């Protein structure tokens, strides 16, 4: 007696019809690069932070403690890295680089030195409302700047 065994291949490409934009597909699911999120990696995470804002806040400590209102802040694309953006506020008196969180509404202020002062911090945006805490060190003066801003 002769026995025969038949084999059928079920090798299908789960990624065949999946568009992951800047991402890659693995077994039908998109893996997004830094700076992009969403089912098909179609959301640029920094986009929500780009634009003009009107801000107010409080400076605690440092050489000039107090409050401020109606200051402008302009956030722009700062590099080819898709998760980076720049914040320019106090009429150009402070410019920092930030990193948008992947798939979140949060961001980090990258360690930045501007005009002899060092800055770090973090914040979030919900809809058009941005809030952040900025730590400023200028020589021996240390200040914490608490900012709320509304996108225009």
């Amino acid at each position: 007696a002769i026995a025969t065994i038949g084999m059928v291949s079920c090798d299908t490409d789960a990624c065949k019809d999946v568009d992951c934009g800047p991402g890659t597909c693995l077994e039908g699911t998109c893996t997004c690069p830094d700076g992009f999120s969403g089912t098909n990696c179609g959301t640029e995470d920094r986009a929500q932070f780009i634009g003009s804002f009107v801000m107010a806040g409080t400076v605690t400590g440092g050489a000039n403690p107090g409050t401020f209102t109606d200051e402008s802040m302009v956030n722009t694309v700062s590099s080819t890295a898709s998760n980076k953006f720049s914040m320019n506020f106090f009429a150009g008196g402070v410019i920092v680089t930030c990193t948008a969180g992947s798939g979140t509404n949060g961001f980090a202020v990258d360690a930045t030195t501007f005009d002899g002062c060092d800055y770090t911090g973090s914040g979030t945006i919900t809809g058009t409302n941005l809030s952040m805490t900025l730590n400023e060190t200028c020589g021996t003066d240390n200040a914490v700047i608490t900012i709320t801003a509304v996108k225009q």
Side-chain angles (χ1 to χ4, degrees):
I2 298 177
T4 59
I5 299 174
M7 300 188 88
V8 177
S9 174
C10 295
D11 188 19
T12 59
D13 183 359
C15 293
K16 180 181 176 196
D17 295 320
V18 178
D19 177 8
C20 292
T24 56
C25 183
L26 179 63
E27 297 179 11
T29 302
C30 293
T31 301
C32 303
D34 285 344
F36 291 89
S37 60
T39 305
N40 298 97
C41 305
T43 302
E44 186 178 20
D45 296 324
R46 70 179 171 188
Q48 63 189 334
F49 301 106
I50 305 302
S52 297
F53 292 79
V54 173
M55 65 178 193
T58 304
V59 179
T60 305
N64 298 301
T67 60
F68 57 91
T69 59
D70 296 326
E71 289 281 344
S72 66
M73 175 172 61
V74 178
N75 298 346
T76 58
V77 171
S78 64
S79 74
T80 56
S82 58
N83 60 343
K84 299 285 187 183
F85 63 97
S86 290
M87 288 185 157
N88 179 337
F89 44 97
F90 298 125
V94 177
I95 300 172
V96 296
T97 301
C98 302
T99 302
S102 185
T104 71
N105 65 339
F107 66 93
V109 176
D110 301 345
T112 303
T113 299
F114 183 81
D115 201 22
C117 296
D118 296 321
Y119 296 91
T120 59
S122 62
T124 59
I125 192 168
T126 303
T128 59
N129 298 308
L130 183 142
S131 61
M132 69 180 287
T133 300
L134 190 63
N135 303 301
E136 175 187 69
T137 302
C138 297
T140 58
D141 289 331
N142 296 307
V144 175
I145 306 168
T146 305
I147 297 170
T148 58
V150 177
K151 194 172 190 178
Q152 301 300 292

